[in-house]
Amino acid sequence: GAVVSQHPSWVICKSGTSVKIECRSLDFQATTMFWYRQFPKQSLMLMATSNEGSKATYEQGVEKDKFLINHASLTLSTLTVTSAHPEDSSFYICSARGSPGYEQYFGPGTRLTVT
Amino acid sequence: DAKTTQPPSMDCAEGRAANLPCNHSTISGNEYVYWYRQIHSQGPQYIIHGLKNNETNEMASLIITEDRKSSTLILPHATLRDTAVYYCIVDSGGSNYKLTFGKGTLLTVNP
């Protein structure tokens, strides 16, 4: 199956700093990428959808100025958590899809801890 | 998108078949049934999907009832590595297609 990578796999940062997470589709071109967040013992919650070259579409309740998403190419999307706070500590997972109707492939996730 | 209902947890003995049910009574005619699983602290893994016919691949089989209101994911010979949360999701797969995860079923395979 298609491979999606994320970097870093885990990160610890101080409150008030910004953190960038990269998501790459390694062997296919991702026309659409998705960012999810997962808190302990909870299910995945969709944060935003991005299409290459377009602005991301954020789900209700997700602050677009805090979670900056850039889908600059067909193989790379980045999520920047700005002015991170301890409540932003979570497991962030990206996924990618090649074409409408194809299944989504997920990255391994990035664990963010804000101290 | 149609909602799904899954049991919160199930147990299965290693080597036996694991049958995971999913109810999706409000599914629309153009919506697919997707199954994903998430092993602890990893990203979800695609398993299988189908529209109305039964499907089989190297991982599992998907049985969809004739009225499409429910389905069953079958892992024919469960192993300890199949212990995971299994998510059943219905979606149209169109241009607005985005997977929405419910609570899923925690399958525990016991030795």
Side-chain angles (χ1 to χ4, degrees):
Chain A
V3 179
V4 176
S5 70
Q6 279 185 243
H7 178 79
S9 55
W10 59 271
V11 57
I12 301 173
C13 71
K14 292 186 182 299
S15 185
T17 62
S18 296
V19 174
K20 180 183 285 188
I21 302 170
E22 291 186 350
C23 175
R24 294 182 185 272
S25 57
L26 298 185
D27 51 3
F28 68 102
Q29 293 187 324
T31 53
T32 308
M33 285 185 166
F34 307 83
W35 287 95
Y36 293 80
R37 180 168 53 180
Q38 185 175 33
F39 293 108
K41 299 189 183 301
Q42 294 187 23
S43 188
L44 285 78
M45 183 189 76
L46 180 65
M47 299 175 66
T49 303
S50 71
N51 293 296
E52 184 262 341
S54 303
K55 288 185 178 179
T57 301
Y58 291 81
E59 295 298 304
Q60 191 172 9
V62 178
E63 301 174 57
K64 61 179 67 176
D65 294 332
K66 181 169 184 62
F67 298 99
L68 302 179
I69 292 171
N70 185 356
H71 192 163
S73 75
L74 286 172
T75 59
L76 173 64
S77 176
T78 60
L79 168 68
T80 301
V81 183
T82 63
S83 187
H85 292 284
E87 56 265 31
D88 297 324
S89 297
S90 187
F91 192 47
Y92 291 87
I93 307 167
C94 74
S95 69
R97 174 162 57 89
S99 298
Y102 285 29
E103 56 269 23
Q104 285 180 223
Y105 295 97
F106 287 79
T110 296
R111 186 159 304 281
L112 170 64
T113 302
V114 184
T115 61
Chain B
D1 295 333
K3 293 184 178 179
T4 62
T5 303
Q6 298 178 252
S9 63
M10 293 183 65
D11 285 287
C12 176
E14 188 177 19
R16 304 296 294 269
N19 297 281
L20 292 93
C22 179
N23 287 322
H24 31 79
S25 59
T26 60
I27 191 170
S28 299
N30 64 341
E31 288 183 314
Y32 291 80
V33 179
Y34 293 86
W35 282 85
Y36 283 78
R37 72 180 182 183
Q38 186 179 26
I39 296 171
H40 183 62
S41 295
Q42 297 183 24
Q45 177 188 21
Y46 166 80
I47 301 174
I48 199 167
H49 76 281
L51 184 61
K52 53 184 177 181
N53 296 322
N54 297 337
E55 302 287 344
T56 296
N57 62 21
E58 64 278 6
M59 289 184 67
S61 294
L62 173 61
I63 308 298
I64 303 174
T65 57
E66 191 169 343
D67 63 8
R68 301 206 328 120
K69 293 185 177 182
S70 66
S71 61
T72 301
L73 178 74
I74 300 172
L75 307 179
H77 305 288
T79 70
L80 299 179
R81 287 176 292 183
D82 291 322
T83 293
V85 178
Y86 287 77
Y87 297 98
C88 167
I89 303 168
V90 294
D91 201 281
S92 63
S95 57
N96 293 323
Y97 156 60
K98 51 184 181 180
L99 296 176
T100 301
F101 287 78
K103 296 183 186 299
T105 296
L106 172 60
L107 174 68
T108 302
V109 181
N110 300 304

